[in-house]
Amino acid sequence: MAYEPKNYDHLKGGALKGFSDSQLDQHFTLYKGYVAKLNEIESKLAEADNTKPNYSFSEYTELKRREAVAFNGSFLHELYFENLGANASISPELQKALDAQGGKDKLVADLKATALSGPGWALLTRNRRDGKLHTYFIAEHHLGLPIEQDLLLVLDSWEHAFMVDYGIKRPDYINAFNENINWAEVSKRFAR
Ligand SMILES: [Fe+2]
């Protein structure tokens, strides 16, 4: 099955304070590239010879090694774009979970610190093992992602997400991100 990239043009035209159209357009182009590569990898895997996998090299092995990069690169971006669009509406259930762990501001501050830990992704999740909210850092798109998580809020902390608008000022970008969180979408994910 081929994946179709989604259109997020509704985020342009000043819908997000602190995000220029040029920044968003370049990010959309990059996201579409991951979807195209995911389709390419899946179609090549369907044809690849899986009878001689090899740690050093085989076409099949390399495709397998990079499959999660393109998959997560595609769908982490969708989660990111979809949790943007300032909306302060938090469900009572999510509010309760946030309050039980020191409040929204504390967790958002921890997500910021997570995102400042390097280029990659910062996630706010519900950990299915302890039922609590957690923040985690993913390098690239696939390194360090703990299993058993419901992804609630996704923050892209790669340079391409902010260099056009903020240069090397990652903290300023994260502050802008925090101003544009769609808490209604986060609440919807929490309810699932
Ligand atoms: Fe990105």
Side-chain angles (χ1 to χ4, degrees):
M1 174 194 119
Y3 298 100
E4 283 292 330
K6 294 187 184 174
N7 184 300
Y8 295 107
D9 281 347
H10 65 279
L11 298 175
K12 289 166 54 180
L16 301 179
K17 204 167 153 252
F19 288 69
S20 69
D21 285 357
S22 168
Q23 176 70 72
L24 288 166
D25 275 330
Q26 296 193 51
H27 210 167
F28 297 156
T29 300
L30 188 134
Y31 148 68
K32 286 171 190 161
Y34 281 112
V35 178
K37 276 291 164 192
L38 176 58
N39 287 329
E40 183 184 342
I41 288 171
E42 288 201 352
S43 70
K44 284 189 172 164
L45 272 171
E47 306 288 324
D49 177 4
N50 67 356
T51 62
K52 295 184 188 67
N54 185 280
Y55 168 70
S56 294
F57 174 77
S58 83
E59 188 192 6
Y60 175 84
T61 295
E62 277 310 305
L63 287 164
K64 271 290 157 200
R65 274 200 270 257
R66 300 305 284 179
E67 187 177 13
V69 174
F71 188 92
N72 287 5
S74 297
F75 298 116
L76 283 170
H77 275 109
E78 292 190 0
L79 290 166
Y80 167 77
F81 292 132
E82 287 163 21
N83 61 218
L84 281 170
N87 184 328
S89 173
I90 300 180
S91 69
E93 295 77 17
L94 177 59
Q95 188 67 58
K96 199 174 150 199
L98 291 164
D99 289 345
Q101 289 183 234
K104 183 184 87 173
D105 290 349
K106 186 179 174 212
L107 283 152
V108 166
D110 197 57
L111 188 70
K112 179 176 178 180
T114 303
L116 288 171
S117 298
W121 295 87
L123 309 179
L124 176 69
T125 74
R126 175 176 46 212
N127 179 323
R128 294 180 205 142
R129 291 285 165 160
D130 67 5
K132 290 185 179 167
L133 303 174
H134 285 253
T135 57
Y136 290 110
F137 177 75
I138 308 178
E140 289 195 56
H141 302 302
H142 62 312
L143 301 175
L145 177 63
I147 64 167
E148 299 275 38
Q149 308 298 319
D150 298 316
L151 276 55
L152 302 177
L153 179 57
V154 170
L155 167 48
D156 191 339
S157 190
W158 283 63
E159 274 82 359
H160 67 245
F162 62 86
M163 283 294 279
V164 174
D165 288 338
Y166 294 96
I168 59 169
K169 293 178 183 155
R170 194 189 307 266
D172 291 358
Y173 155 69
I174 296 168
N175 291 341
F177 173 87
N178 288 344
E179 294 298 311
N180 286 287
I181 295 171
N182 183 342
W183 285 101
E185 173 65 21
V186 180
S187 298
K188 211 161 69 179
R189 293 175 190 170
F190 185 78
R192 272 180 208 143

